[in-house]
PDB file of all heavy atoms in Angstrom:
ATOM      1  N   GLU I   1     -38.606  87.970 -28.281  1.00 62.00           N
ATOM      2  CA  GLU I   1     -38.946  89.314 -28.753  1.00 62.00           C
ATOM      3  C   GLU I   1     -40.271  89.787 -28.174  1.00 62.00           C
ATOM      4  O   GLU I   1     -40.447  90.973 -27.870  1.00 62.00           O
ATOM      5  CB  GLU I   1     -39.036  89.335 -30.277  1.00 62.00           C
ATOM      6  CG  GLU I   1     -37.705  89.142 -30.987  1.00 62.00           C
ATOM      7  CD  GLU I   1     -37.895  88.838 -32.461  1.00 62.00           C
ATOM      8  OE1 GLU I   1     -39.014  89.035 -32.959  1.00 62.00           O
ATOM      9  OE2 GLU I   1     -36.927  88.402 -33.107  1.00 62.00           O
ATOM     10  N   LEU I   2     -41.220  88.869 -27.997  1.00 60.00           N
ATOM     11  CA  LEU I   2     -42.566  89.253 -27.605  1.00 60.00           C
ATOM     12  C   LEU I   2     -42.778  89.270 -26.100  1.00 60.00           C
ATOM     13  O   LEU I   2     -43.846  89.636 -25.630  1.00 60.00           O
ATOM     14  CB  LEU I   2     -43.591  88.298 -28.243  1.00 60.00           C
ATOM     15  CG  LEU I   2     -43.606  88.305 -29.769  1.00 60.00           C
ATOM     16  CD1 LEU I   2     -44.606  87.295 -30.282  1.00 60.00           C
ATOM     17  CD2 LEU I   2     -43.920  89.683 -30.298  1.00 60.00           C
ATOM     18  N   LYS I   3     -41.767  88.874 -25.328  1.00 51.00           N
ATOM     19  CA  LYS I   3     -41.903  88.922 -23.875  1.00 51.00           C
ATOM     20  C   LYS I   3     -42.156  90.362 -23.447  1.00 51.00           C
ATOM     21  O   LYS I   3     -41.471  91.282 -23.832  1.00 51.00           O
ATOM     22  CB  LYS I   3     -40.639  88.399 -23.189  1.00 51.00           C
ATOM     23  CG  LYS I   3     -40.566  86.878 -23.140  1.00 51.00           C
ATOM     24  CD  LYS I   3     -39.316  86.427 -22.399  1.00 51.00           C
ATOM     25  CE  LYS I   3     -39.263  84.897 -22.336  1.00 51.00           C
ATOM     26  NZ  LYS I   3     -38.020  84.441 -21.672  1.00 51.00           N
ATOM     27  N   GLY I   4     -43.131  90.540 -22.576  1.00 44.00           N
ATOM     28  CA  GLY I   4     -43.423  91.879 -22.095  1.00 44.00           C
ATOM     29  C   GLY I   4     -44.323  92.679 -23.015  1.00 44.00           C
ATOM     30  O   GLY I   4     -44.719  93.788 -22.689  1.00 44.00           O
ATOM     31  N   LYS I   5     -44.638  92.129 -24.191  1.00 50.00           N
ATOM     32  CA  LYS I   5     -45.526  92.843 -25.105  1.00 50.00           C
ATOM     33  C   LYS I   5     -46.924  92.240 -25.020  1.00 50.00           C
ATOM     34  O   LYS I   5     -47.078  91.065 -24.757  1.00 50.00           O
ATOM     35  CB  LYS I   5     -45.009  92.755 -26.549  1.00 50.00           C
ATOM     36  CG  LYS I   5     -43.670  93.435 -26.754  1.00 50.00           C
ATOM     37  CD  LYS I   5     -43.272  93.342 -28.223  1.00 50.00           C
ATOM     38  CE  LYS I   5     -41.917  93.983 -28.435  1.00 50.00           C
ATOM     39  NZ  LYS I   5     -41.953  95.432 -28.200  1.00 50.00           N
ATOM     40  N   THR I   6     -47.944  93.061 -25.232  1.00 44.00           N
ATOM     41  CA  THR I   6     -49.306  92.557 -25.244  1.00 44.00           C
ATOM     42  C   THR I   6     -49.714  92.237 -26.674  1.00 44.00           C
ATOM     43  O   THR I   6     -49.219  92.827 -27.631  1.00 44.00           O
ATOM     44  CB  THR I   6     -50.282  93.607 -24.678  1.00 44.00           C
ATOM     45  OG1 THR I   6     -50.300  94.728 -25.556  1.00 44.00           O
ATOM     46  CG2 THR I   6     -49.848  94.062 -23.304  1.00 44.00           C
ATOM     47  N   THR I   7     -50.641  91.305 -26.798  1.00 40.00           N
ATOM     48  CA  THR I   7     -51.112  90.952 -28.141  1.00 40.00           C
ATOM     49  C   THR I   7     -51.831  92.115 -28.807  1.00 40.00           C
ATOM     50  O   THR I   7     -51.995  92.127 -30.017  1.00 40.00           O
ATOM     51  CB  THR I   7     -52.070  89.745 -28.064  1.00 40.00           C
ATOM     52  OG1 THR I   7     -53.098  90.046 -27.115  1.00 40.00           O
ATOM     53  CG2 THR I   7     -51.340  88.508 -27.636  1.00 40.00           C
ATOM     54  N   ALA I   8     -52.276  93.098 -28.001  1.00 43.00           N
ATOM     55  CA  ALA I   8     -52.950  94.263 -28.578  1.00 43.00           C
ATOM     56  C   ALA I   8     -52.016  95.129 -29.396  1.00 43.00           C
ATOM     57  O   ALA I   8     -52.458  96.043 -30.088  1.00 43.00           O
ATOM     58  CB  ALA I   8     -53.578  95.108 -27.465  1.00 43.00           C
ATOM     59  N   ASP I   9     -50.716  94.855 -29.328  1.00 52.00           N
ATOM     60  CA  ASP I   9     -49.749  95.664 -30.064  1.00 52.00           C
ATOM     61  C   ASP I   9     -49.399  95.058 -31.421  1.00 52.00           C
ATOM     62  O   ASP I   9     -48.497  95.561 -32.086  1.00 52.00           O
ATOM     63  CB  ASP I   9     -48.457  95.815 -29.246  1.00 52.00           C
ATOM     64  CG  ASP I   9     -48.685  96.582 -27.966  1.00 52.00           C
ATOM     65  OD1 ASP I   9     -49.512  97.498 -27.976  1.00 52.00           O
ATOM     66  OD2 ASP I   9     -48.047  96.249 -26.957  1.00 52.00           O
ATOM     67  N   LEU I  10     -50.040  93.968 -31.817  1.00 60.00           N
ATOM     68  CA  LEU I  10     -49.575  93.233 -32.975  1.00 60.00           C
ATOM     69  C   LEU I  10     -50.458  93.353 -34.214  1.00 60.00           C
ATOM     70  O   LEU I  10     -50.208  92.691 -35.207  1.00 60.00           O
ATOM     71  CB  LEU I  10     -49.427  91.743 -32.608  1.00 60.00           C
ATOM     72  CG  LEU I  10     -48.490  91.470 -31.434  1.00 60.00           C
ATOM     73  CD1 LEU I  10     -48.432  89.988 -31.147  1.00 60.00           C
ATOM     74  CD2 LEU I  10     -47.110  92.025 -31.693  1.00 60.00           C
ATOM     75  N   GLU I  11     -51.498  94.158 -34.161  1.00 74.00           N
ATOM     76  CA  GLU I  11     -52.353  94.328 -35.333  1.00 74.00           C
ATOM     77  C   GLU I  11     -52.603  95.804 -35.601  1.00 74.00           C
ATOM     78  O   GLU I  11     -52.635  96.616 -34.681  1.00 74.00           O
ATOM     79  CB  GLU I  11     -53.700  93.615 -35.128  1.00 74.00           C
ATOM     80  CG  GLU I  11     -53.595  92.100 -35.084  1.00 74.00           C
ATOM     81  CD  GLU I  11     -54.960  91.442 -35.065  1.00 74.00           C
ATOM     82  OE1 GLU I  11     -55.871  91.927 -35.770  1.00 74.00           O
ATOM     83  OE2 GLU I  11     -55.121  90.464 -34.338  1.00 74.00           O
ATOM     84  N   LEU I  12     -52.774  96.130 -36.864  1.00 86.00           N
ATOM     85  CA  LEU I  12     -53.075  97.497 -37.279  1.00 86.00           C
ATOM     86  C   LEU I  12     -54.594  97.611 -37.390  1.00 86.00           C
ATOM     87  O   LEU I  12     -55.204  97.030 -38.281  1.00 86.00           O
ATOM     88  CB  LEU I  12     -52.408  97.795 -38.618  1.00 86.00           C
ATOM     89  CG  LEU I  12     -52.252  99.249 -39.025  1.00 86.00           C
ATOM     90  CD1 LEU I  12     -51.419 100.014 -38.016  1.00 86.00           C
ATOM     91  CD2 LEU I  12     -51.629  99.354 -40.410  1.00 86.00           C
ATOM     92  N   ILE I  13     -55.216  98.346 -36.464  1.00 91.00           N
ATOM     93  CA  ILE I  13     -56.669  98.385 -36.348  1.00 91.00           C
ATOM     94  C   ILE I  13     -57.210  99.698 -36.892  1.00 91.00           C
ATOM     95  O   ILE I  13     -56.648 100.766 -36.648  1.00 91.00           O
ATOM     96  CB  ILE I  13     -57.098  98.230 -34.869  1.00 91.00           C
ATOM     97  CG1 ILE I  13     -56.565  96.913 -34.298  1.00 91.00           C
ATOM     98  CG2 ILE I  13     -58.617  98.288 -34.741  1.00 91.00           C
ATOM     99  CD1 ILE I  13     -57.060  95.682 -35.014  1.00 91.00           C
ATOM    100  N   GLY I  14     -58.315  99.613 -37.616  1.00 92.00           N
ATOM    101  CA  GLY I  14     -58.997 100.797 -38.123  1.00 92.00           C
ATOM    102  C   GLY I  14     -59.385 100.625 -39.576  1.00 92.00           C
ATOM    103  O   GLY I  14     -58.802  99.818 -40.302  1.00 92.00           O
ATOM    104  N   SER I  15     -60.374 101.401 -39.997  1.00 91.00           N
ATOM    105  CA  SER I  15     -60.824 101.343 -41.389  1.00 91.00           C
ATOM    106  C   SER I  15     -60.955 102.736 -41.992  1.00 91.00           C
ATOM    107  O   SER I  15     -61.588 102.900 -43.032  1.00 91.00           O
ATOM    108  CB  SER I  15     -62.172 100.607 -41.464  1.00 91.00           C
ATOM    109  OG  SER I  15     -63.109 101.169 -40.562  1.00 91.00           O
ATOM    110  N   SER I  16     -60.371 103.737 -41.345  1.00 92.00           N
ATOM    111  CA  SER I  16     -60.409 105.097 -41.875  1.00 92.00           C
ATOM    112  C   SER I  16     -59.566 105.187 -43.136  1.00 92.00           C
ATOM    113  O   SER I  16     -58.697 104.340 -43.380  1.00 92.00           O
ATOM    114  CB  SER I  16     -59.872 106.073 -40.826  1.00 92.00           C
ATOM    115  OG  SER I  16     -58.495 105.807 -40.567  1.00 92.00           O
ATOM    116  N   PRO I  17     -59.792 106.215 -43.962  1.00 92.00           N
ATOM    117  CA  PRO I  17     -58.972 106.369 -45.177  1.00 92.00           C
ATOM    118  C   PRO I  17     -57.475 106.436 -44.880  1.00 92.00           C
ATOM    119  O   PRO I  17     -56.666 105.870 -45.619  1.00 92.00           O
ATOM    120  CB  PRO I  17     -59.487 107.692 -45.772  1.00 92.00           C
ATOM    121  CG  PRO I  17     -60.893 107.799 -45.281  1.00 92.00           C
ATOM    122  CD  PRO I  17     -60.892 107.208 -43.913  1.00 92.00           C
ATOM    123  N   LEU I  18     -57.088 107.113 -43.784  1.00 93.00           N
ATOM    124  CA  LEU I  18     -55.673 107.241 -43.463  1.00 93.00           C
ATOM    125  C   LEU I  18     -55.040 105.886 -43.163  1.00 93.00           C
ATOM    126  O   LEU I  18     -53.940 105.567 -43.640  1.00 93.00           O
ATOM    127  CB  LEU I  18     -55.491 108.175 -42.261  1.00 93.00           C
ATOM    128  CG  LEU I  18     -55.641 109.675 -42.538  1.00 93.00           C
ATOM    129  CD1 LEU I  18     -55.589 110.459 -41.237  1.00 93.00           C
ATOM    130  CD2 LEU I  18     -54.561 110.160 -43.490  1.00 93.00           C
ATOM    131  N   ILE I  19     -55.715 105.072 -42.363  1.00 94.00           N
ATOM    132  CA  ILE I  19     -55.140 103.783 -41.985  1.00 94.00           C
ATOM    133  C   ILE I  19     -55.199 102.815 -43.166  1.00 94.00           C
ATOM    134  O   ILE I  19     -54.326 101.956 -43.324  1.00 94.00           O
ATOM    135  CB  ILE I  19     -55.849 103.209 -40.738  1.00 94.00           C
ATOM    136  CG1 ILE I  19     -54.841 102.455 -39.857  1.00 94.00           C
ATOM    137  CG2 ILE I  19     -56.998 102.303 -41.078  1.00 94.00           C
ATOM    138  CD1 ILE I  19     -53.854 103.329 -39.177  1.00 94.00           C
ATOM    139  N   THR I  20     -56.198 102.953 -44.011  1.00 94.00           N
ATOM    140  CA  THR I  20     -56.285 102.127 -45.218  1.00 94.00           C
ATOM    141  C   THR I  20     -55.134 102.435 -46.162  1.00 94.00           C
ATOM    142  O   THR I  20     -54.539 101.524 -46.768  1.00 94.00           O
ATOM    143  CB  THR I  20     -57.630 102.358 -45.924  1.00 94.00           C
ATOM    144  OG1 THR I  20     -58.705 102.033 -45.019  1.00 94.00           O
ATOM    145  CG2 THR I  20     -57.745 101.487 -47.162  1.00 94.00           C
ATOM    146  N   GLN I  21     -54.793 103.716 -46.294  1.00 95.00           N
ATOM    147  CA  GLN I  21     -53.660 104.103 -47.137  1.00 95.00           C
ATOM    148  C   GLN I  21     -52.352 103.520 -46.603  1.00 95.00           C
ATOM    149  O   GLN I  21     -51.497 103.072 -47.379  1.00 95.00           O
ATOM    150  CB  GLN I  21     -53.565 105.631 -47.202  1.00 95.00           C
ATOM    151  CG  GLN I  21     -54.656 106.289 -48.014  1.00 95.00           C
ATOM    152  CD  GLN I  21     -54.638 107.809 -47.893  1.00 95.00           C
ATOM    153  OE1 GLN I  21     -53.672 108.391 -47.396  1.00 95.00           O
ATOM    154  NE2 GLN I  21     -55.708 108.446 -48.331  1.00 95.00           N
ATOM    155  N   ILE I  22     -52.201 103.514 -45.283  1.00 95.00           N
ATOM    156  CA  ILE I  22     -50.976 102.959 -44.692  1.00 95.00           C
ATOM    157  C   ILE I  22     -50.885 101.464 -44.978  1.00 95.00           C
ATOM    158  O   ILE I  22     -49.816 100.952 -45.323  1.00 95.00           O
ATOM    159  CB  ILE I  22     -50.940 103.235 -43.176  1.00 95.00           C
ATOM    160  CG1 ILE I  22     -50.679 104.718 -42.933  1.00 95.00           C
ATOM    161  CG2 ILE I  22     -49.857 102.393 -42.490  1.00 95.00           C
ATOM    162  CD1 ILE I  22     -50.672 105.112 -41.481  1.00 95.00           C
ATOM    163  N   ARG I  23     -51.995 100.745 -44.844  1.00 93.00           N
ATOM    164  CA  ARG I  23     -51.988  99.309 -45.151  1.00 93.00           C
ATOM    165  C   ARG I  23     -51.566  99.069 -46.606  1.00 93.00           C
ATOM    166  O   ARG I  23     -50.807  98.147 -46.893  1.00 93.00           O
ATOM    167  CB  ARG I  23     -53.373  98.714 -44.913  1.00 93.00           C
ATOM    168  CG  ARG I  23     -53.724  98.479 -43.462  1.00 93.00           C
ATOM    169  CD  ARG I  23     -54.839  97.444 -43.351  1.00 93.00           C
ATOM    170  NE  ARG I  23     -55.408  97.471 -42.028  1.00 93.00           N
ATOM    171  CZ  ARG I  23     -56.466  98.204 -41.664  1.00 93.00           C
ATOM    172  NH1 ARG I  23     -57.066  98.976 -42.564  1.00 93.00           N
ATOM    173  NH2 ARG I  23     -56.930  98.177 -40.446  1.00 93.00           N
ATOM    174  N   THR I  24     -52.092  99.887 -47.499  1.00 95.00           N
ATOM    175  CA  THR I  24     -51.743  99.751 -48.919  1.00 95.00           C
ATOM    176  C   THR I  24     -50.258  99.978 -49.136  1.00 95.00           C
ATOM    177  O   THR I  24     -49.593  99.222 -49.865  1.00 95.00           O
ATOM    178  CB  THR I  24     -52.557 100.750 -49.765  1.00 95.00           C
ATOM    179  OG1 THR I  24     -53.957 100.501 -49.572  1.00 95.00           O
ATOM    180  CG2 THR I  24     -52.228 100.603 -51.239  1.00 95.00           C
ATOM    181  N   LYS I  25     -49.704 100.996 -48.496  1.00 95.00           N
ATOM    182  CA  LYS I  25     -48.281 101.292 -48.633  1.00 95.00           C
ATOM    183  C   LYS I  25     -47.432 100.163 -48.045  1.00 95.00           C
ATOM    184  O   LYS I  25     -46.412  99.781 -48.623  1.00 95.00           O
ATOM    185  CB  LYS I  25     -47.949 102.617 -47.948  1.00 95.00           C
ATOM    186  CG  LYS I  25     -48.486 103.834 -48.674  1.00 95.00           C
ATOM    187  CD  LYS I  25     -48.106 105.123 -47.950  1.00 95.00           C
ATOM    188  CE  LYS I  25     -48.634 106.350 -48.680  1.00 95.00           C
ATOM    189  NZ  LYS I  25     -48.303 107.607 -47.955  1.00 95.00           N
ATOM    190  N   ILE I  26     -47.840  99.626 -46.905  1.00 95.00           N
ATOM    191  CA  ILE I  26     -47.104  98.521 -46.285  1.00 95.00           C
ATOM    192  C   ILE I  26     -47.050  97.331 -47.240  1.00 95.00           C
ATOM    193  O   ILE I  26     -46.001  96.712 -47.427  1.00 95.00           O
ATOM    194  CB  ILE I  26     -47.749  98.119 -44.943  1.00 95.00           C
ATOM    195  CG1 ILE I  26     -47.516  99.211 -43.891  1.00 95.00           C
ATOM    196  CG2 ILE I  26     -47.197  96.785 -44.445  1.00 95.00           C
ATOM    197  CD1 ILE I  26     -48.256  98.968 -42.594  1.00 95.00           C
ATOM    198  N   ALA I  27     -48.202  97.012 -47.854  1.00 94.00           N
ATOM    199  CA  ALA I  27     -48.263  95.873 -48.775  1.00 94.00           C
ATOM    200  C   ALA I  27     -47.340  96.071 -49.978  1.00 94.00           C
ATOM    201  O   ALA I  27     -46.751  95.115 -50.487  1.00 94.00           O
ATOM    202  CB  ALA I  27     -49.703  95.659 -49.244  1.00 94.00           C
ATOM    203  N   ARG I  28     -47.182  97.324 -50.418  1.00 95.00           N
ATOM    204  CA  ARG I  28     -46.320  97.595 -51.566  1.00 95.00           C
ATOM    205  C   ARG I  28     -44.846  97.588 -51.183  1.00 95.00           C
ATOM    206  O   ARG I  28     -43.986  97.120 -51.934  1.00 95.00           O
ATOM    207  CB  ARG I  28     -46.688  98.954 -52.180  1.00 95.00           C
ATOM    208  CG  ARG I  28     -48.031  98.965 -52.894  1.00 95.00           C
ATOM    209  CD  ARG I  28     -48.336 100.356 -53.413  1.00 95.00           C
ATOM    210  NE  ARG I  28     -49.622 100.406 -54.113  1.00 95.00           N
ATOM    211  CZ  ARG I  28     -50.186 101.532 -54.556  1.00 95.00           C
ATOM    212  NH1 ARG I  28     -49.570 102.687 -54.361  1.00 95.00           N
ATOM    213  NH2 ARG I  28     -51.346 101.500 -55.174  1.00 95.00           N
ATOM    214  N   ILE I  29     -44.538  98.149 -50.019  1.00 95.00           N
ATOM    215  CA  ILE I  29     -43.146  98.325 -49.612  1.00 95.00           C
ATOM    216  C   ILE I  29     -42.542  97.044 -49.052  1.00 95.00           C
ATOM    217  O   ILE I  29     -41.365  96.754 -49.274  1.00 95.00           O
ATOM    218  CB  ILE I  29     -43.047  99.460 -48.570  1.00 95.00           C
ATOM    219  CG1 ILE I  29     -43.465 100.795 -49.192  1.00 95.00           C
ATOM    220  CG2 ILE I  29     -41.630  99.568 -48.004  1.00 95.00           C
ATOM    221  CD1 ILE I  29     -43.605 101.914 -48.181  1.00 95.00           C
ATOM    222  N   ALA I  30     -43.337  96.259 -48.330  1.00 95.00           N
ATOM    223  CA  ALA I  30     -42.815  95.097 -47.583  1.00 95.00           C
ATOM    224  C   ALA I  30     -41.996  94.137 -48.440  1.00 95.00           C
ATOM    225  O   ALA I  30     -40.903  93.723 -48.024  1.00 95.00           O
ATOM    226  CB  ALA I  30     -43.963  94.371 -46.894  1.00 95.00           C
ATOM    227  N   PRO I  31     -42.452  93.737 -49.637  1.00 94.00           N
ATOM    228  CA  PRO I  31     -41.679  92.741 -50.409  1.00 94.00           C
ATOM    229  C   PRO I  31     -40.353  93.264 -50.936  1.00 94.00           C
ATOM    230  O   PRO I  31     -39.501  92.485 -51.356  1.00 94.00           O
ATOM    231  CB  PRO I  31     -42.623  92.395 -51.572  1.00 94.00           C
ATOM    232  CG  PRO I  31     -43.973  92.857 -51.157  1.00 94.00           C
ATOM    233  CD  PRO I  31     -43.724  94.049 -50.292  1.00 94.00           C
ATOM    234  N   THR I  32     -40.170  94.576 -50.929  1.00 91.00           N
ATOM    235  CA  THR I  32     -38.907  95.133 -51.404  1.00 91.00           C
ATOM    236  C   THR I  32     -37.868  95.034 -50.299  1.00 91.00           C
ATOM    237  O   THR I  32     -38.180  94.714 -49.161  1.00 91.00           O
ATOM    238  CB  THR I  32     -39.065  96.600 -51.824  1.00 91.00           C
ATOM    239  OG1 THR I  32     -39.223  97.407 -50.649  1.00 91.00           O
ATOM    240  CG2 THR I  32     -40.270  96.776 -52.719  1.00 91.00           C
ATOM    241  N   ASN I  33     -36.643  95.343 -50.652  1.00 88.00           N
ATOM    242  CA  ASN I  33     -35.578  95.345 -49.650  1.00 88.00           C
ATOM    243  C   ASN I  33     -35.213  96.772 -49.253  1.00 88.00           C
ATOM    244  O   ASN I  33     -34.177  97.009 -48.639  1.00 88.00           O
ATOM    245  CB  ASN I  33     -34.335  94.623 -50.187  1.00 88.00           C
ATOM    246  CG  ASN I  33     -33.436  94.140 -49.091  1.00 88.00           C
ATOM    247  OD1 ASN I  33     -33.887  93.716 -48.032  1.00 88.00           O
ATOM    248  ND2 ASN I  33     -32.132  94.223 -49.298  1.00 88.00           N
ATOM    249  N   SER I  34     -36.073  97.722 -49.598  1.00 94.00           N
ATOM    250  CA  SER I  34     -35.775  99.136 -49.384  1.00 94.00           C
ATOM    251  C   SER I  34     -35.782  99.495 -47.907  1.00 94.00           C
ATOM    252  O   SER I  34     -36.557  98.940 -47.111  1.00 94.00           O
ATOM    253  CB  SER I  34     -36.804 100.010 -50.112  1.00 94.00           C
ATOM    254  OG  SER I  34     -36.774  99.763 -51.500  1.00 94.00           O
ATOM    255  N   ARG I  35     -34.938 100.461 -47.556  1.00 95.00           N
ATOM    256  CA  ARG I  35     -34.953 100.996 -46.199  1.00 95.00           C
ATOM    257  C   ARG I  35     -36.174 101.900 -46.041  1.00 95.00           C
ATOM    258  O   ARG I  35     -36.592 102.581 -46.979  1.00 95.00           O
ATOM    259  CB  ARG I  35     -33.666 101.774 -45.919  1.00 95.00           C
ATOM    260  CG  ARG I  35     -32.449 100.880 -45.821  1.00 95.00           C
ATOM    261  CD  ARG I  35     -31.204 101.660 -45.464  1.00 95.00           C
ATOM    262  NE  ARG I  35     -30.700 102.435 -46.584  1.00 95.00           N
ATOM    263  CZ  ARG I  35     -29.893 101.962 -47.525  1.00 95.00           C
ATOM    264  NH1 ARG I  35     -29.492 100.701 -47.479  1.00 95.00           N
ATOM    265  NH2 ARG I  35     -29.465 102.738 -48.496  1.00 95.00           N
ATOM    266  N   VAL I  36     -36.756 101.902 -44.838  1.00 97.00           N
ATOM    267  CA  VAL I  36     -37.980 102.647 -44.577  1.00 97.00           C
ATOM    268  C   VAL I  36     -37.762 103.552 -43.370  1.00 97.00           C
ATOM    269  O   VAL I  36     -37.218 103.104 -42.354  1.00 97.00           O
ATOM    270  CB  VAL I  36     -39.171 101.701 -44.308  1.00 97.00           C
ATOM    271  CG1 VAL I  36     -40.450 102.497 -44.095  1.00 97.00           C
ATOM    272  CG2 VAL I  36     -39.338 100.699 -45.447  1.00 97.00           C
ATOM    273  N   LEU I  37     -38.185 104.808 -43.484  1.00 97.00           N
ATOM    274  CA  LEU I  37     -38.172 105.739 -42.355  1.00 97.00           C
ATOM    275  C   LEU I  37     -39.614 106.048 -41.988  1.00 97.00           C
ATOM    276  O   LEU I  37     -40.358 106.621 -42.782  1.00 97.00           O
ATOM    277  CB  LEU I  37     -37.420 107.024 -42.715  1.00 97.00           C
ATOM    278  CG  LEU I  37     -37.424 108.125 -41.653  1.00 97.00           C
ATOM    279  CD1 LEU I  37     -36.764 107.634 -40.362  1.00 97.00           C
ATOM    280  CD2 LEU I  37     -36.729 109.385 -42.156  1.00 97.00           C
ATOM    281  N   ILE I  38     -40.016 105.649 -40.783  1.00 97.00           N
ATOM    282  CA  ILE I  38     -41.381 105.856 -40.310  1.00 97.00           C
ATOM    283  C   ILE I  38     -41.373 107.062 -39.378  1.00 97.00           C
ATOM    284  O   ILE I  38     -40.636 107.079 -38.381  1.00 97.00           O
ATOM    285  CB  ILE I  38     -41.907 104.618 -39.556  1.00 97.00           C
ATOM    286  CG1 ILE I  38     -41.726 103.358 -40.411  1.00 97.00           C
ATOM    287  CG2 ILE I  38     -43.365 104.798 -39.177  1.00 97.00           C
ATOM    288  CD1 ILE I  38     -41.974 102.069 -39.649  1.00 97.00           C
ATOM    289  N   SER I  39     -42.175 108.052 -39.691  1.00 96.00           N
ATOM    290  CA  SER I  39     -42.248 109.244 -38.849  1.00 96.00           C
ATOM    291  C   SER I  39     -43.664 109.429 -38.339  1.00 96.00           C
ATOM    292  O   SER I  39     -44.632 108.975 -38.949  1.00 96.00           O
ATOM    293  CB  SER I  39     -41.802 110.479 -39.633  1.00 96.00           C
ATOM    294  OG  SER I  39     -42.623 110.667 -40.768  1.00 96.00           O
ATOM    295  N   GLY I  40     -43.774 110.100 -37.193  1.00 94.00           N
ATOM    296  CA  GLY I  40     -45.090 110.343 -36.619  1.00 94.00           C
ATOM    297  C   GLY I  40     -44.988 110.549 -35.130  1.00 94.00           C
ATOM    298  O   GLY I  40     -43.966 110.236 -34.508  1.00 94.00           O
ATOM    299  N   PRO I  41     -46.056 111.056 -34.518  1.00 93.00           N
ATOM    300  CA  PRO I  41     -46.037 111.312 -33.078  1.00 93.00           C
ATOM    301  C   PRO I  41     -45.851 110.035 -32.272  1.00 93.00           C
ATOM    302  O   PRO I  41     -46.109 108.932 -32.751  1.00 93.00           O
ATOM    303  CB  PRO I  41     -47.424 111.928 -32.810  1.00 93.00           C
ATOM    304  CG  PRO I  41     -47.935 112.360 -34.134  1.00 93.00           C
ATOM    305  CD  PRO I  41     -47.331 111.435 -35.139  1.00 93.00           C
ATOM    306  N   SER I  42     -45.412 110.186 -31.036  1.00 92.00           N
ATOM    307  CA  SER I  42     -45.237 109.041 -30.147  1.00 92.00           C
ATOM    308  C   SER I  42     -46.582 108.377 -29.880  1.00 92.00           C
ATOM    309  O   SER I  42     -47.604 109.045 -29.723  1.00 92.00           O
ATOM    310  CB  SER I  42     -44.612 109.518 -28.825  1.00 92.00           C
ATOM    311  OG  SER I  42     -44.478 108.457 -27.921  1.00 92.00           O
ATOM    312  N   GLY I  43     -46.570 107.036 -29.848  1.00 91.00           N
ATOM    313  CA  GLY I  43     -47.786 106.303 -29.529  1.00 91.00           C
ATOM    314  C   GLY I  43     -48.685 106.003 -30.703  1.00 91.00           C
ATOM    315  O   GLY I  43     -49.820 105.547 -30.522  1.00 91.00           O
TER     316      GLY I  43
END
């Protein structure tokens, strides 16, 4: 799976309020079995 990928793609970097909120949501959603739709600009 990781062939061709750089290690720079494997961590969520930043400490802004927006990225902190996303980390919080990930921690809440991950243990569930719910389907997730991620939206946002490319990149």
Side-chain angles (χ1 to χ4, degrees):
E1 291 166 14
L2 298 178
K3 280 182 179 177
K5 296 182 182 294
T6 65
T7 53
D9 295 325
L10 303 179
E11 292 188 39
L12 198 60
I13 302 300
S15 52
S16 65
L18 284 174
I19 215 70
T20 301
Q21 289 172 13
I22 288 178
R23 283 201 195 92
T24 301
K25 289 181 180 178
I26 290 173
R28 289 178 180 173
I29 296 171
T32 72
N33 202 36
S34 299
R35 290 183 285 275
V36 182
L37 176 61
I38 308 169
S39 59
S42 178

